[in-house]
């Protein structure tokens, strides 16, 4: 057994008082010493190779006190080489060692995103050089006519700057041209570190692309976060250690989704790939970017993984409908290289569409005590549907807006849709299409019993309450959130729907408007007809 140097000998636990840096130094000293001794002892023998000597020395060094302490102390090891063991997966959070990169998001009617970037940099420099509350205008420059609003910076600090002309006009009287900003950009302050991959199941082409993208992101020094079910496949395990919620009610053939023996993946990918423990890891605190490969349903599924704030999303088209996936899957490397490439030092500004989500609260009505129970929060990206389900009777619903009773719905149901969901179920039921930047809530009846009940658009400040009256003939009514989360309402139960404070920031290919009209024209063949002759 190798004796330790006298300076690190302690009572009982020799290395308890050593820091990780001191332990690494002792390990290197001991390793060099053992290597020299082994080389001298083996100088007259030709049967031992360098590899054999190095392996023997490594075994000796790892058995010493400093090395043993380093192996037990996870904080002394780089997170890039830490493995997620089965014991860790069952014990608790697995992403607690990953911290997200800070990012700025700003909006304004500006033609050039780089101009906004420069103005934002000037604002920061001005803030550092000027005392707090100074009247110095950071936009007093040739480009001072730009009106910019910094939506979020760092830890949600809010600032706003306008030109002198804008301030004078507001003092004379309110003049409002638009309640929305035409452009919104975001930029990471440093290179993103962790990427969540979400892909459509059961598509061999998507699976092949997913292998390529996962391997490339891993090679750029980023954490690759996989869904628990997919992570289990990558580890080569047949059954998952925990059962995540299934996306579809129908089971997908296993041979269409399994990655097999990691074919197409770089060596060591399975050891470096990460996942999370449902209910224990906070994804919004650990993930910088979400990459979706599939159709609109895949993005909808990814949205459901984040009950709170959601990181930016880059969506690649790999499904049959592509309203929300502006990037073709064949361009994945060109799109991801400026953001995640190992050689990119400054991530360029990205234009994003902040898509509205709904916050839904479900309140049960206790028939015995006649009291409301604890609300249950749910998030929705497309719509909240209240319908009669399997009941043969018409559904009867009381509708309130800001606690004011507005109407009673009698029919097959009611759709409460976001602007993003206006081109989904609401459109099929006769609702109007709405630009994703319009802040509004759409109420669309489903086969109403009154022909005068037409779809209506409410402001984004409205709170819509839908209650099953006690006089309802149907004993239960179904609620579906984005078509996947189904909840049963009984008499007296009600839901409240309002705009969530956590939108979905999807990265644009061109702009919000250009991407939206392109998807409407291509997916719906909107207003497509032969052109009228000129004579």
């Amino acid at each position: 057994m190798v004796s330790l140097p006298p300076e690190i000998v302690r009572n009982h636990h020799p290395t308890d008082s050593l820091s990780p840096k001191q332990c690494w130094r002792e390990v290197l000293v001991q390793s060099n010493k053992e290597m020299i001794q082994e080389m001298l002892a083996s100088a007259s023998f030709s049967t031992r190779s360098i590899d054999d000597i190095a392996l023997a020395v490594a075994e000796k060094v790892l058995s010493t006190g400093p090395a043993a302490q380093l192996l037990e102390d996870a904080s002394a090891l780089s997170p890039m080489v830490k493995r997620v063991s089965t014991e860790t997966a069952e014990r608790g959070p697995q992403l607690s060692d990953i911290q997200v990169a800070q990012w700025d998001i700003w909006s304004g009617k500006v033609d050039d995103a780089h101009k906004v970037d420069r103005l934002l940099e000037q604002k920061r420099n001005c803030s550092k050089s000027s005392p707090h509350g100074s009247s110095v205008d950071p936009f007093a420059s040739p480009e001072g006519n730009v009106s910019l609003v910094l939506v979020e910076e760092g830890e949600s600090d809010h600032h706003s700057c306008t030109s002198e002309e804008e301030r004078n006009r507001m003092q004379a009287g309110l003049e409002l041209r638009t309640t929305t900003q035409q452009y919104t950009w975001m930029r990471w302050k440093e290179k993103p570190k962790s990427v969540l991959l979400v892909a459509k199941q059961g598509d061999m082409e998507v699976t092949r692309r997913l292998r390529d993208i996962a391997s490339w992101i891993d090679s750029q020094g980023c954490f690759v976060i996989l869904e628990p079910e997919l992570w289990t496949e990558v580890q080569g395990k047949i059954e998952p250690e925990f059962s995540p919620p299934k996306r579809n009610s129908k089971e997908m053939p296993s041979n269409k989704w399994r990655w097999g023996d990691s074919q197409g993946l770089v060596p060591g990918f399975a050891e470096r790939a990460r996942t999370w423990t449902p209910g224990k890891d906070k994804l919004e605190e650990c993930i910088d970017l979400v990459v979706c490969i599939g159709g609109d349903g895949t993005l909808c599924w990814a949205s459901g993984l984040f009950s709170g704030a959601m990181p930016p999303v880059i969506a690649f088209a790999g499904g049959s409908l592509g309203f929300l996936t502006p990037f073709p899957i064949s361009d994945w490397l060109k799109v991801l290289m400026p953001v995640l490439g190992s050689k990119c030092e400054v991530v360029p500004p990205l234009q994003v569409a902040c898509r509205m989500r709904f916050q839904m609260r479900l309140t049960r009505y206790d028939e015995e005590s006649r009291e409301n129970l604890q609300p249950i929060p749910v998030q929705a990206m497309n719509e909240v549907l209240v319908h009669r389900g399997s009941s043969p009777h018409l559904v009867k619903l009381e509708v309130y807006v800001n606690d004011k009773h507005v109407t009673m719905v009698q029919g097959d149901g009611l759709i409460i849709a976001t602007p993003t969901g206006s081109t989904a179920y609401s459109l099929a039921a006769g609702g109007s299409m709405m630009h994703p930047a319009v802040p509004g809530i759409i109420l669309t009846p489903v086969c109403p019993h009154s022909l005068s009940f037409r779809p209506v658009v409410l402001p984004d400040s409205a709170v819509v309450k839908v209650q099953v009256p006690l006089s309802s003939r149907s004993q239960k009514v179904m609620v579906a959130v984005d078509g996947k989360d189904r909840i049963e309402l009984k008499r007296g139960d009600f839901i409240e729907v309002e705009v969530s404070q956590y939108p979905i920031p999807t990265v644009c290919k061109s702009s919000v408007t250009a991407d939206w009209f392109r998807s409407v024209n291509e997916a719906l063949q909107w207003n497509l007809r032969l052109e009228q002759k000129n004579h």
Side-chain angles (χ1 to χ4, degrees):
M1 185 68 174
V2 179
S3 59
L4 297 177
E7 61 270 17
I8 66 171
V9 175
R10 303 287 190 271
N11 293 330
H12 301 293
H13 299 283
T15 60
D16 284 349
S17 60
L18 294 181
S19 66
K21 182 177 180 181
Q22 292 173 323
C23 288
W24 280 118
R25 183 185 60 192
E26 297 297 339
V27 169
L28 292 176
V29 169
Q30 190 70 16
S31 177
N32 293 335
K33 178 180 177 181
E34 293 288 344
M35 181 64 73
I36 294 174
Q37 292 179 349
E38 289 288 340
M39 294 292 289
L40 292 175
S42 304
S44 57
F45 300 95
S46 58
T47 57
R48 300 187 67 188
S49 64
I50 297 296
D51 293 340
D52 294 336
I53 297 176
L55 183 60
V57 171
E59 292 292 340
K60 286 185 178 181
V61 172
L62 289 176
S63 63
T64 61
Q69 177 177 332
L70 287 174
L71 292 176
E72 294 178 359
D73 186 4
S75 62
L77 299 175
S78 170
M80 292 297 292
V81 300
K82 290 170 62 179
R83 295 187 59 178
V84 181
S85 62
T86 303
E87 183 181 13
T88 303
E90 296 176 345
R91 184 170 60 245
Q94 304 176 64
L95 303 179
S96 58
D97 59 320
I98 302 178
Q99 298 296 324
V100 296
Q102 296 295 320
W103 49 289
D104 298 324
I105 179 169
W106 65 91
S107 61
K109 191 174 182 180
V110 186
D111 295 331
D112 186 4
H114 298 285
K115 183 189 297 184
V116 181
D117 207 12
R118 290 197 303 271
L119 295 178
L120 184 61
E121 194 65 33
Q122 293 175 17
K123 177 186 179 301
R124 289 185 186 138
N125 296 334
C126 181
S127 302
K128 295 178 181 179
S129 59
S130 302
H132 181 69
S134 174
S135 60
V136 177
D137 189 354
F139 295 102
S141 64
E143 300 168 312
N145 60 340
V146 174
S147 175
L148 178 145
V149 178
L150 181 62
V151 180
E152 183 175 353
E153 179 183 14
E155 298 179 356
S156 302
D157 295 329
H158 295 269
H159 308 275
S160 62
C161 291
T162 58
S163 63
E164 186 68 28
E165 178 184 358
E166 183 75 15
R167 284 196 293 269
N168 292 337
R169 185 164 62 248
M170 292 177 64
Q171 291 174 359
L174 180 61
E175 180 181 337
L176 195 61
R177 286 174 297 196
T178 175
T179 57
T180 62
Q181 299 293 344
Q182 186 172 356
Y183 302 110
T184 301
W185 287 281
M186 62 83 57
R187 187 190 65 180
W188 284 279
K189 296 182 179 180
E190 55 183 311
K191 176 185 172 182
K193 305 171 186 176
S194 56
V195 182
L196 170 63
L197 295 181
V198 181
K200 177 184 178 182
Q201 294 189 3
D203 191 313
M204 292 300 294
E205 176 63 19
V206 170
T207 303
R208 185 179 66 83
R209 294 286 188 178
L210 183 61
R211 290 194 189 101
D212 297 338
I213 295 175
S215 299
W216 181 82
I217 294 176
D218 177 72
S219 68
Q220 304 307 302
C222 300
F223 290 102
V224 177
I225 315 296
L226 302 175
E227 295 183 75
E229 185 179 6
L230 181 56
W231 180 84
T232 303
E233 299 288 350
V234 173
Q235 303 304 311
K237 302 174 182 178
I238 299 177
E239 296 294 335
E241 299 169 13
F242 40 79
S243 299
K246 299 293 184 180
R247 301 193 195 179
N248 303 313
S249 58
K250 296 181 179 179
E251 292 292 335
M252 303 301 297
S254 59
N255 59 348
K256 290 187 177 182
W257 180 235
R258 294 185 182 276
W259 284 25
D261 54 355
S262 300
Q263 181 181 0
L265 298 175
V266 294
F269 177 85
E271 287 75 16
R272 292 186 294 270
R274 308 291 287 273
T275 188
W276 69 90
T277 303
K280 296 185 178 180
D281 285 299
K282 296 182 179 180
L283 298 184
E284 64 273 11
E285 297 180 0
C286 307
I287 294 175
D288 291 317
L289 175 66
V290 179
V291 174
C292 284
I293 312 169
D296 296 348
T298 305
L299 179 59
C300 186
W301 170 263
S303 171
L305 299 176
F306 296 85
S307 59
M310 187 170 183
V313 182
I314 296 180
F316 293 99
S320 56
L321 192 61
F323 273 106
L324 312 178
T325 53
F327 297 99
I329 187 62
S330 57
D331 294 344
W332 70 266
L333 185 59
K334 181 173 65 175
V335 175
L336 297 180
M337 179 65 77
V339 179
L340 302 174
S342 58
K343 296 183 179 180
C344 69
E345 298 180 358
V346 179
V347 180
L350 301 175
Q351 189 175 158
V352 298
C354 293
R355 299 182 178 274
M356 178 193 300
R357 284 201 293 178
F358 283 157
Q359 175 75 44
M360 191 194 83
R361 293 187 300 274
L362 167 64
T363 304
R364 298 293 185 185
Y365 184 79
D366 190 348
E367 295 181 353
E368 295 182 357
S369 62
R370 303 291 182 181
E371 294 180 356
N372 295 329
L373 303 180
Q374 185 68 27
I376 305 173
V378 180
Q379 295 265 352
M381 184 187 80
N382 280 340
E383 75 275 318
V384 175
L385 169 65
V386 186
H387 61 102
R388 63 190 180 99
S390 59
S391 172
H393 306 292
L394 293 178
V395 70
K396 186 163 68 170
L397 303 170
E398 299 285 359
V399 180
Y400 301 80
V401 176
N402 295 337
D403 292 328
K404 176 68 176 180
H405 183 269
V406 293
T407 189
M408 175 184 287
V409 177
Q410 295 185 91
D412 282 354
L414 179 68
I415 300 172
I416 309 173
T418 66
T420 298
S422 67
T423 53
Y425 193 2
S426 176
L427 180 63
S432 177
M433 293 187 297
M434 184 180 293
H435 189 284
V438 176
I441 301 174
I442 307 173
L443 292 184
T444 304
V446 181
C447 298
H449 206 248
S450 170
L451 295 179
S452 62
F453 193 177
R454 298 291 91 191
V456 62
V457 178
L458 303 174
D460 60 343
S461 59
V463 178
V464 181
K465 174 182 173 182
V466 181
Q467 183 174 24
V468 181
L470 297 176
S471 60
S472 174
R473 179 179 296 184
S474 299
Q475 296 184 359
K476 59 182 180 180
V477 176
M478 298 304 297
V479 177
V481 181
D482 286 341
K484 62 180 187 298
D485 297 319
R486 291 177 173 82
I487 305 170
E488 182 180 295
L489 296 182
K490 297 183 179 180
R491 294 170 182 168
D493 295 346
F494 65 88
I495 61 171
E496 292 178 296
V497 178
E498 61 183 332
V499 174
S500 172
Q501 62 178 324
Y502 304 116
I504 305 175
T506 57
V507 177
C508 302
K509 181 182 179 182
S510 300
S511 66
V512 181
T513 300
D515 290 351
W516 187 70
F517 273 105
R518 181 171 55 246
S519 65
V520 168
N521 291 331
E522 293 178 356
L524 294 182
Q525 302 293 303
W526 180 63
N527 196 29
L528 180 65
R529 58 152 289 175
L530 295 177
E531 185 176 354
Q532 186 178 16
K533 295 181 179 180
N534 57 5
H535 62 276

